[in-house]
Amino acid sequence: MDSSPSAPRVTLLAGGVGGARLAHGLALALPDGGAEHLRIVGNVGDDTERHGLLVSPDLDTVMYTLAGLNDEQRGWGLTGETYGVLDQLARLGEDTWFTLGDKDLATHVVRTAALRDGEPLSAVTARLCAALGVHATLLPVTDDRLRTLVDTPAGRVAFQEYFVRRQHADAVLGLTFDGADTARPAPGVLAAVRDTEVLVVAPSNPFLSVEPLLAVPGVRDALRATSARRVAVSPIVGGRALKGPAAQVLETLGHEVSALGVARLYTGLVDVMCVDEADAALADPIRDLGLDVVVTDTIMGGPAGRERLARELLTAVGPAPR
Ligand code: FO1
């Protein structure tokens, strides 16, 4: 697989926006957009059925970002969208709280038709990525049905109900990854975790984005057992989440809202914790957990910032000792 002796093989465990941005940085840092070197294991716990179509928001955010088509302002969806179909759906009496653009809908039409015809999610994802010119390999963690359910004071709701419809305003009292117990890792997922030189956990929400990956039987064990050098990037900077509800979720589930709190969650699963310069003072307490620490600017703005962070991570962890 490794056609470039100087570049390591890298696997990224990714959620939505933070995962997509680091995936983009890695694709820029590795030869040929990561064609031979980058595998991304993506979250499907956020998946939802809307208007009869299966939407896989986190897979699509990674795919669109790698294709250079993502709406960078919002972080999700396609750039230059129009909403004619959604407007018409509303006119026909459909509930349109989940914003689906006209071009984005084409992805969901292709995906839903493929699944109906018996094609696994991993296969149609590969096909969509190839069609959009994505060189890296994007693997849904499972081809089986897995849905994140969120316990709130208002009851148990589906993930997008919590995240979009209720604007992640509810306290998260607990999480269920429905279907995870019996889900099988999609083809290539366990190999991507085991058979790689660098394993990166993206600055994604540890509970909402990373945990549903680890909940698929075999994935957590593969992460524990891999000989890869493993690094996690903290999604918490200066005690705040860069995007989304990570801070609230950590707090209501009883964890410290800091890079140290995140490091505690990942102890035993990674070797290195990457924290932002704003959290340099947490380096020693994190080292006390037995982790190495990289302190750098983790705020990924545009492509240059993403590539810089990716290169710094690859330099810091180096190839796995053999
Ligand atoms: N996020 C929103 O806040 N509002 C939306 O209406 C919305 C629609 C949407 C459609 C397609 C897609 O791929 C993503 C979409 N997202 C939307 C983002 C998504 O809900 C979340 O960012 C992720 O699930 C969390 O990682």
Side-chain angles (χ1 to χ4, degrees):
M1 187 184 181
D2 192 350
S3 62
S4 169
S6 57
R9 287 173 301 134
V10 180
T11 294
L12 177 70
L13 304 187
V17 178
R21 290 187 174 157
L22 190 51
H24 189 203
L26 288 164
L28 292 169
L30 293 165
D32 194 18
E36 302 273 307
H37 293 82
L38 179 58
R39 286 172 286 186
I40 302 145
V41 178
N43 174 35
V44 296
D46 298 14
D47 287 11
T48 184
E49 282 81 22
R50 300 296 306 153
H51 316 294
L53 301 173
L54 175 69
V55 184
S56 287
D58 281 4
L59 295 181
D60 290 347
T61 299
V62 172
M63 178 173 74
Y64 293 157
T65 301
L66 289 176
L69 299 170
N70 202 55
D71 182 326
E72 293 291 327
Q73 217 65 36
R74 288 188 308 199
W76 50 268
L78 285 157
T79 182
E81 268 291 13
T82 52
Y83 298 93
V85 175
L86 206 68
D87 288 348
Q88 189 66 10
L89 285 167
R91 197 169 171 189
L92 296 176
E94 291 278 303
D95 207 343
T96 54
W97 54 269
F98 197 72
T99 307
L100 294 168
D102 295 332
K103 289 190 286 184
D104 189 28
L105 276 160
T107 301
H108 315 315
V109 168
V110 171
R111 176 188 292 121
T112 306
L115 295 176
R116 189 199 54 208
D117 292 346
E119 193 175 346
L121 180 63
S122 53
V124 67
T125 301
R127 204 150 57 75
L128 290 165
C129 283
L132 296 181
V134 172
H135 292 188
T137 302
L138 175 58
L139 301 165
V141 67
T142 180
D143 283 333
D144 298 326
R145 186 186 162 89
L146 190 169
R147 293 287 184 277
T148 299
L149 305 177
V150 185
D151 285 322
T152 75
R156 179 171 287 190
V157 295
F159 181 84
Q160 297 298 347
E161 187 85 21
Y162 154 78
F163 195 91
V164 173
R165 193 170 203 179
R166 301 175 67 86
Q167 296 284 296
H168 47 77
D170 302 282
V172 174
L173 306 176
L175 294 164
T176 300
F177 304 111
D178 192 35
D181 289 356
T182 53
R184 295 152 299 176
V189 165
L190 294 184
V193 176
R194 278 199 215 113
D195 174 24
T196 188
E197 289 162 301
V198 177
L199 190 299
V200 184
V201 181
S204 299
N205 190 310
F207 286 107
L208 299 180
S209 299
V210 178
E211 195 56 30
L213 304 177
L214 303 180
V216 174
V219 177
R220 193 187 305 269
D221 287 345
L223 182 57
R224 284 192 202 281
T226 182
S227 60
R229 287 278 285 165
R230 304 162 299 180
V231 56
V233 183
S234 174
I236 302 289
V237 173
R240 298 164 57 131
L242 288 178
K243 199 169 184 348
Q248 296 102 293
V249 176
L250 279 166
E251 188 170 357
T252 57
L253 293 182
H255 300 275
E256 183 176 308
V257 184
S258 72
L260 175 60
V262 176
R264 287 194 185 114
L265 295 172
Y266 288 146
T267 300
L269 295 173
V270 302
D271 310 295
V272 184
M273 196 70 210
C274 175
V275 304
D276 193 78
E277 285 156 351
D279 295 316
L282 297 175
D284 280 342
I286 293 174
R287 284 190 190 100
D288 290 344
L289 298 172
L291 299 171
D292 291 338
V293 181
V294 175
V295 180
T296 187
D297 174 6
T298 62
I299 316 275
M300 294 174 281
R306 298 171 190 183
E307 182 176 352
R308 177 198 48 74
L309 178 60
R311 286 190 187 279
E312 285 188 35
L313 292 174
L314 297 181
T315 305
V317 300
R322 291 281 155 204

